[in-house]
Amino acid sequence: MTPFLTKSETKALLEKIKTKIPTKTSELTNDSNFITSALLFDNAGAHNAIYRGKNLGTSVTEAQWAAIANGTFADLYIGDYWVINGVNWRIAAFDYYYKTGDTSCTAHHAVIVPDTSLYDYAMNDSNTTVGGYVGSKMYTEGLAQAKTKINNAFGSSHILSHRQLLVNAVTDGKPSVSSWYDSTVELMTEQNVYGGKIFGAGNDGSTVPYLHTIDKSQFPLFAHDPSMISNEQWFWLRDVVSVADFALVYASGFAGYSSVSAFSGVRPAFAIKS
């Protein structure tokens, strides 16, 4: 049996394919069923793969809450945003934390990142990272304003609470202990932004730093549109770099770090659920 088609079989196959393909631009534009079946599926994986950047209005509609709740994310795509209280709240990922945590996250959700920093704040009053991210003034006090802004924009009941592994001790400038915490609003990690570690402490061959984190991969927003990474904004990340430095993103777009007592932007990530 030959594995190849005969000339007549090939011709018949081509004719069959031809009947399935629109021959005019208008046919392609108007044939929504063709476009939907070929490209679009209503689930987190498909919607994480498509950047749109549409203005969704000044509040989340009931239909949008329903699309988040059922995990279809219908008519919601990466880069879409709501303009609420003067802030562009942009969709960065879908179901990023789904099925993660020591208690599994089972709620469908959309991760949101504001386009710009909400305000400036220091990681600590003095230049020490000894308590890690959890021991920083940023974590204990500095995120309070952000949480208020976020609750006012979306409603506290719509902010996803999930379990996070967060660094709470540093030895010789390297994360040495992490624990599980209930989490709603956090600074992003280098992985969330860049897709990998840049300045965060690494394995030097003898000391293995405690780098366990749920936020271990890049948000689709920044993969699709790298210009959204800095957007001419300086802002803190939660990665310990040394005994006195945390990672941050420079306004000029490059990865960096700074002494923890310096003031820089607070541009946190959080997730909304129905």
Side-chain angles (χ1 to χ4, degrees), residues 22-205:
T23 58
K24 299 178 181 178
T25 301
S26 59
E27 290 178 359
L28 180 60
T29 302
N30 295 327
D31 192 350
S32 60
N33 289 333
F34 177 85
I35 296 173
T36 301
S37 62
L39 298 175
L40 306 180
F41 298 90
D42 284 335
N43 56 57
H47 286 236
N48 275 325
I50 298 173
Y51 183 96
R52 184 170 67 174
K54 178 182 177 180
N55 185 333
L56 298 172
T58 57
S59 64
V60 184
T61 67
E62 289 301 317
Q64 290 165 349
W65 284 127
I68 293 171
N70 61 29
T72 64
F73 306 108
D75 201 28
L76 297 171
Y77 295 95
I78 299 301
D80 289 358
Y81 62 98
W82 293 274
V83 183
I84 306 173
N85 298 330
V87 177
N88 289 356
W89 304 98
R90 198 170 295 267
I91 297 175
F94 295 106
D95 275 359
Y96 186 89
Y97 301 109
Y98 194 63
K99 295 185 179 180
T100 65
D102 59 339
T103 299
S104 183
C105 174
T106 58
H108 293 295
H109 56 272
V111 175
I112 308 296
V113 176
D115 278 2
T116 58
S117 299
L118 301 178
Y119 50 89
D120 290 344
Y121 209 86
M123 292 296 295
N124 264 331
D125 290 332
S126 58
N127 288 325
T128 178
T129 61
V130 67
Y133 173 63
V134 171
S136 70
K137 185 177 180 180
M138 176 68 76
Y139 182 82
T140 58
E141 299 179 23
L143 291 174
Q145 295 178 60
K147 291 176 181 178
T148 297
K149 288 177 180 286
I150 290 164
N151 288 340
N152 288 341
F154 295 95
S156 59
S157 64
H158 288 298
I159 309 305
L160 178 73
S161 178
H162 61 105
R163 298 287 284 171
Q164 274 276 16
L165 264 177
L166 301 174
V167 173
N168 56 17
V170 174
T171 303
D172 297 328
K174 295 185 177 183
S176 53
V177 180
S178 289
S179 297
W180 289 103
Y181 295 89
D182 292 331
S183 173
T184 54
V185 178
E186 306 294 352
L187 295 185
M188 292 182 283
T189 65
E190 289 186 306
Q191 295 99 311
N192 289 154
V193 175
Y194 310 126
K197 281 290 183 189
I198 306 296
F199 286 106
N203 187 341
D204 60 11

Side-chain angles (χ1 to χ4, degrees), residues 148-264:
T148 297
K149 288 177 180 286
I150 290 164
N151 288 340
N152 288 341
F154 295 95
S156 59
S157 64
H158 288 298
I159 309 305
L160 178 73
S161 178
H162 61 105
R163 298 287 284 171
Q164 274 276 16
L165 264 177
L166 301 174
V167 173
N168 56 17
V170 174
T171 303
D172 297 328
K174 295 185 177 183
S176 53
V177 180
S178 289
S179 297
W180 289 103
Y181 295 89
D182 292 331
S183 173
T184 54
V185 178
E186 306 294 352
L187 295 185
M188 292 182 283
T189 65
E190 289 186 306
Q191 295 99 311
N192 289 154
V193 175
Y194 310 126
K197 281 290 183 189
I198 306 296
F199 286 106
N203 187 341
D204 60 11
S206 59
T207 302
V208 179
Y210 207 99
L211 301 181
H212 303 49
T213 176
I214 299 300
D215 288 88
K216 56 190 178 293
S217 59
Q218 189 176 32
F219 288 151
L221 172 64
F222 301 128
H224 289 306
D225 186 0
S227 70
M228 292 301 301
I229 290 177
S230 66
N231 205 15
E232 300 185 341
Q233 293 277 311
W234 297 58
F235 58 92
W236 286 113
L237 302 175
R238 70 173 188 253
D239 307 87
V240 172
V241 173
S242 71
V243 295
D245 301 288
F246 269 84
L248 52 68
V249 175
Y250 278 75
S252 53
F254 64 85
Y257 60 91
S258 181
S259 298
V260 297
S261 62
F263 275 70
S264 193

